[in-house]
Amino acid sequence: MRRFRTAAFLLALWSIPALLSTGQVLVRGVSGPSPAEALASQLASWWIWAAVTPLVVFVSRKRPVTGSGWRVSLGVHCAVGIAVVVGVVALQTVLAMGTESIAFSVDRYLSGVTGNLAFFLTANLITYGALAGAVQVWMLFERLRDQQVNAARLETELAQAQLESLRGTLQPHFLFNALHTVGGLVRAGDKDGAVQTITALSGLLRFSLEGVTRNEIPLHRELEALERYLEIEEVRFEDRMTVEREIAPDVLDALVPALILQPLVENAVRHGIGQNPEAGALVVRAYRDGQSLRLEVEDDGPGPGPSPVGGWSGGVGLTLTRDRLASLYDDQHDFALESPNGCGARVVVSIPFLEEGDRA
């Protein structure tokens, strides 16, 4: 059904120049063909272009005249265009000999093809160029539309990440624990610790409420926001949590998705450190691996447990992070949830290594 609709559309499309050509033929003089004969002849001639349109579309999509390879693509179009024009003229000559009741012979046919090529070559090449150019314009429109759709999706996912971060900060469990920690410090007379925790909480809330207007920010800024969260959790867990930060100095200016680390660390604290009755360790790593930036968050808790069908056992925060990475980097990223030694959990993110000046 789809092919039928496509064929009908192409025939209707190429009937427009056929009608215009029919009008020109009829205006030439009264001794010309009848209107019906002129229309039939022009429709048959122009519908040949309807038959070759899929070929031109295929070549135009395979060899777009954009980017660094535009010269090669232009050469391919010149060769294909000449071949298509010769084929079209050859078929048009056969139709013309049939409609004019000219006795067919090889000599007459070759002579007709040669004459028609000499007379109609430029017009047919222009027709091919216009058709190929229209496909190129349509491809640019599709690319622009896809970019707009992708940009809208990224904005939505960034907003979801901000809401998830704010929800995690304001959820009663975390907020009450933080306030309970402050109360314990005040009762113990540790004013400096209480002030430090309140400052960290206010900084975390400010970062969550102010929002992020860009999908990617420098790693050092992401780490600043993460530090506010870790300061609170380190005070709350006291000696039960040790945090190691293994951040390579040469990656601090690398671009990372905004709010990428906090959900990973929250997941490790909640399901790793929080579920471990003994002291636990949390490691945050960032380093360069060739042309990639690797981010790792690892804990020594009980681990993610059995994975469901599909091999994924992440919660809402990890699932949202995975979806954002797919939208931002397509197939140029890796995201894995591992249990390195049969216990504990490690989330590994690998994205292209880009700095501020590298992103166009």
Side-chain angles (χ1 to χ4, degrees), residues 251-276:
V251 301
L252 290 176
D253 292 328
L255 294 177
V256 299
L259 300 170
I260 187 69
L261 287 176
Q262 185 174 332
L264 305 184
V265 173
E266 284 181 0
N267 184 77
V269 171
R270 186 179 308 169
H271 301 292
I273 306 299
Q275 301 298 320
N276 190 352

Side-chain angles (χ1 to χ4, degrees), residues 169-223:
T169 303
L170 294 178
Q171 65 170 321
H173 180 73
F174 173 78
L175 190 57
F176 290 164
N177 282 335
L179 294 176
H180 178 74
T181 300
V182 172
L185 292 172
V186 171
R187 286 191 296 270
D190 187 356
K191 294 190 297 182
D192 292 339
V195 171
Q196 179 183 355
T197 304
I198 293 174
T199 302
L201 181 59
S202 65
L204 184 60
L205 289 171
R206 185 182 303 110
F207 185 85
S208 301
L209 291 171
E210 287 178 352
V212 180
T213 59
R214 299 169 52 191
N215 279 293
E216 292 178 309
I217 61 175
L219 177 61
H220 65 80
R221 185 181 173 194
E222 180 74 9
L223 291 172

Side-chain angles (χ1 to χ4, degrees), residues 241-257:
M241 184 175 80
T242 302
V243 180
E244 298 181 19
R245 302 161 179 83
E246 300 177 3
I247 310 298
D250 60 340
V251 301
L252 290 176
D253 292 328
L255 294 177
V256 299

Side-chain angles (χ1 to χ4, degrees), residues 56 70 84 91 130 135 139 157 184 191 203 229 266-267 286 290 303 318 352:
V56 179
W70 69 270
V84 167
L91 291 175
V135 176
M139 290 172 61
E157 291 175 347
K191 294 190 297 182
Y229 175 82
E266 284 181 0
N267 184 77
L318 294 187

Side-chain angles (χ1 to χ4, degrees), residues 22-145:
T22 300
Q24 292 179 344
V25 171
L26 295 177
V27 169
R28 290 176 184 172
V30 295
S31 59
S34 66
E37 292 174 342
L39 178 60
S41 175
Q42 292 302 316
L43 283 174
S45 178
W46 282 101
W47 279 355
I48 294 174
W49 279 104
V52 301
T53 294
L55 173 63
V56 179
V57 172
F58 175 80
V59 174
S60 298
R61 286 192 172 275
K62 289 293 184 181
R63 303 300 310 190
V65 190
T66 56
S68 58
W70 69 270
R71 293 181 179 84
V72 176
S73 296
L74 186 61
V76 171
H77 279 286
C78 289
V80 174
I82 292 173
V84 167
V85 167
V86 171
V88 168
V89 170
L91 291 175
Q92 289 175 339
T93 303
V94 171
L95 292 174
M97 292 179 68
T99 55
E100 296 175 11
S101 301
I102 299 175
F104 183 84
S105 69
V106 175
D107 292 339
R108 288 178 179 175
Y109 175 70
L110 293 177
S111 176
V113 170
T114 302
N116 287 335
L117 277 175
F119 192 77
F120 296 111
L121 178 63
T122 301
N124 280 292
L125 285 176
I126 292 175
T127 302
Y128 175 89
L131 178 57
V135 176
Q136 299 291 319
V137 171
W138 180 255
M139 290 172 61
L140 290 175
F141 170 76
E142 287 181 330
R143 191 176 299 116
L144 178 61
R145 181 192 60 192

Side-chain angles (χ1 to χ4, degrees), residues 339-357:
S339 184
N341 300 311
C343 64
R346 178 170 61 199
V347 177
V348 181
V349 175
S350 178
I351 59 176
F353 185 91
L354 296 171
E355 295 183 336
E356 197 72 45

